[in-house]
Amino acid sequence: MKSNVGKLLSTAAIAATISTGATAATLDDVKAKGFIQCGVSQGVPGFSNADASGNWTGIDVDACRATAAAVFGDAQAVKFTPLSAKERFTALQSGEIDMLSRNTTWTYTRDSSLGLDFTAVNFYDGQGFMVRKDLGVESALDLDGATVCTEQGTTTELNMADFFRKHKLSYVPVVVQKADEAVAAYDSGRCDVFTTDKSGLAAQRSKLAEPNAHVILPETISKEPLGPVVRHGDNQWKDIVTWSMFVQVNAEELGITSKNVATIKKETTDPGIARLLGTEGDMGAQLGLSADWAYNIIALVGNYGEVFENNVGPATPVGLPRGINNLWTEGGVMYAPPVR
């Protein structure tokens, strides 16, 4: 993590940032430096995780790469800043990062009071609980008196308190600053339960010493729509980040993939596909981008289905089904406005 992450703004400075919003054009700043600075997690497999060589992968990483492909025609024109849950919003408010793509839940308070804007949802999730199989627990309603590990500064912490209060259950919270610390505390036996978004539970279980010795309980106790965040007040940049995601959803719906997009671009007679891929209309110019901005996203990063399957799908260690994150035409809720 870069050392300047720790140089947090004073309360007054943050308030000033929130009240004025983003005053500079982020697109101009990004083009001037030649890359996007993207805030990500400190390591959640399938969402944002670095390997031993420092190569980042995951759904959230691909959101950053899709935006870079739209702006530069280069999905690698990104630098990543790993951030804790506590640090993430300040890093965006201060301008240290250009976008935040860090399994971050869209809530009313975050959207209305932090000087930030959520863009498009790239993963619909919900909070759950993970326990050791030998604990013999089959339901979250059996967790009375449990010690529960979670990360500080998250909706998870608040949802946990609401759940136990609602069901009149007692619990002992163990709240730590980093996700890895919470997982380590759970894995060492310091707590009976680990709670976070269910996708995060599946991701973190894959890192445990004995993944098969742990079970995710059936209850989903919250709604957690996750997606990239930008500073409030720069509508052009918000549109670019938002539509980079919408392009991927539309591409999947149209059957356009990273493997066939070049052929389809050459051969299509469908006006809607021609607009999407930049051979008809001026869609890119409306965002301050080139005509092939959407083509580059699909060719270099893939459609939404490819991103999902490559990072968290059944064939990956995370092993998640599409479920609610399937297209609306396939029983899910993934739906994007048309490019027209």
Side-chain angles (χ1 to χ4, degrees):
M1 183 184 298
K2 289 188 174 182
S3 60
N4 62 357
V5 169
K7 298 177 182 177
L8 305 180
L9 294 178
S10 67
T11 302
I14 292 173
T17 302
I18 292 172
S19 64
T20 59
T23 55
T26 306
L27 178 61
D28 293 341
D29 293 343
V30 163
K31 284 183 173 179
K33 65 187 178 184
F35 62 89
I36 296 170
Q37 194 75 44
C38 191
V40 292
S41 77
Q42 293 165 314
V44 178
F47 286 83
S48 51
N49 199 49
D51 64 18
S53 301
N55 299 311
W56 285 89
T57 57
I59 282 181
D60 289 335
V61 168
D62 280 348
C64 305
R65 296 202 188 282
T67 306
V71 174
F72 297 107
D74 179 3
Q76 302 304 312
V78 187
K79 294 185 179 181
F80 297 100
T81 301
L83 298 164
S84 70
K86 186 177 180 180
E87 296 167 331
R88 57 185 161 176
F89 297 126
T90 303
L92 184 57
Q93 291 164 339
S94 70
E96 180 186 340
I97 57 176
D98 302 308
M99 61 183 288
L100 176 67
S101 189
R102 189 204 173 281
N103 53 296
T104 297
T105 303
W106 188 344
T107 71
Y108 170 82
T109 300
R110 288 174 174 179
D111 201 18
S112 63
S113 65
L114 296 180
L116 306 175
D117 283 337
F118 284 77
T119 57
V121 175
N122 68 351
F123 195 91
Y124 288 93
D125 210 344
Q127 185 174 333
F129 298 95
M130 180 165 64
V131 299
R132 295 168 189 78
K133 286 182 179 178
D134 61 15
L135 197 62
V137 171
E138 297 182 355
S139 167
L141 297 175
D142 299 329
L143 294 177
D144 191 28
T147 302
V148 187
C149 281
T150 195
E151 186 180 3
Q152 184 180 22
T154 61
T155 56
T156 303
E157 185 180 1
L158 303 176
N159 294 335
M160 173 179 68
D162 285 351
F163 173 81
F164 281 94
R165 180 181 176 187
K166 175 182 178 181
H167 294 286
K168 298 180 180 179
L169 303 174
S170 64
Y171 75 107
V172 179
V174 177
V175 181
V176 297
Q177 288 199 5
K178 298 180 180 180
D180 280 350
E181 292 175 358
V183 176
Y186 168 74
D187 203 21
S188 70
R190 184 178 167 192
C191 26
D192 306 309
V193 186
F194 175 52
T195 184
T196 189
D197 300 340
K198 282 193 165 182
S199 64
L201 294 177
Q204 300 293 7
R205 181 170 60 178
S206 70
K207 296 164 63 175
L208 297 176
E210 296 181 71
N212 293 332
H214 305 266
V215 61
I216 298 171
L217 298 178
E219 289 85 358
T220 301
I221 69 167
S222 69
K223 294 187 294 185
E224 306 293 329
L226 311 177
V229 192
V230 296
R231 284 182 292 280
H232 181 74
D234 189 339
N235 291 346
Q236 180 188 36
W237 185 244
K238 179 186 177 183
D239 287 345
I240 290 170
V241 175
T242 300
W243 279 93
S244 293
M245 170 64 183
F246 286 161
V247 160
Q248 293 178 299
V249 175
N250 277 312
E252 183 183 7
E253 186 176 337
L254 293 166
I256 306 172
T257 71
S258 59
K259 295 179 176 62
N260 66 21
V261 66
T263 300
I264 290 176
K265 184 179 182 180
K266 288 180 183 178
E267 299 178 355
T268 188
T269 58
D270 184 322
I273 293 177
R275 282 193 299 271
L276 178 68
L277 300 183
T279 58
E280 183 176 306
D282 60 351
M283 299 301 168
Q286 295 177 35
L287 292 174
L289 303 176
S290 64
D292 59 356
W293 69 285
Y295 171 85
N296 289 332
I297 292 171
I298 302 163
L300 299 175
V301 183
N303 67 32
Y304 181 75
E306 290 179 284
V307 168
F308 187 99
E309 295 301 326
N310 290 340
N311 292 299
V312 298
T316 70
V318 180
L320 296 176
R322 277 296 290 269
I324 196 173
N325 289 291
N326 218 327
L327 293 176
W328 66 286
T329 53
E330 301 294 332
V333 297
M334 274 297 169
Y335 184 103
V339 178
R340 67 173 307 115

